[in-house]
Amino acid sequence: MSDPRFRTEADATDGETGDREERSTTDRRAASTDPDDADPVELGVALIERLEDEELSMADLMDRVETVSTHPRVVSDIIEAAEERGVIERNGATVRPQGGGYVRFGADVVTKEGEFSCRRCGTGLSEGYFIKLDAGEIGPFGSSCIRKVTGRE
């Protein structure tokens, strides 16, 4: 058997589906921008469940999902999982969130003081906004980016 660190995606389909799934989860966690985060796919789906938009473009959805991870495979996994679970409906380049949830600024958004970089735009921050979701926490964001991520702008 070859060294598992050098296996290709084709190798992963050789009947070892349990091993492939385990590696996939590990790969997603490694691709997350913060190693302490929960599974980025679960975090991304939780974020999508809370989108307030009735409809948005795939580009706008990806902009929000990329606050969880910018790794293309992880972004794809998040969107696919959201679609499989009925959290979104895709129609070409248009997405309709089905979650019906929203982020409450008084309860679901926490403000922290410190030296941060916005997770969406990279701007330096002395005050960061973090979104608390069941799957974990996403942030920090600046004041305008938190509104964009939550769909309030």
Side-chain angles (χ1 to χ4, degrees), residues 95-117:
V95 177
R96 289 185 180 83
Q98 304 298 306
Y102 60 93
V103 174
R104 296 170 303 207
F105 273 79
D108 299 326
V109 176
V110 177
T111 305
K112 298 180 184 179
E113 300 291 326
E115 295 298 318
F116 304 110
S117 293

Side-chain angles (χ1 to χ4, degrees), residues 50-82:
R50 306 289 284 282
L51 295 180
E52 296 183 36
D53 308 88
E54 281 188 38
E55 181 177 287
L56 65 160
S57 70
M58 182 59 80
D60 287 338
L61 178 66
M62 289 181 70
D63 180 57
R64 296 185 189 171
V65 169
E66 287 175 345
T67 63
V68 174
S69 176
T70 57
H71 191 283
R73 183 175 26 180
V74 176
V75 170
S76 177
D77 288 350
I78 291 169
I79 293 170
E80 287 175 15

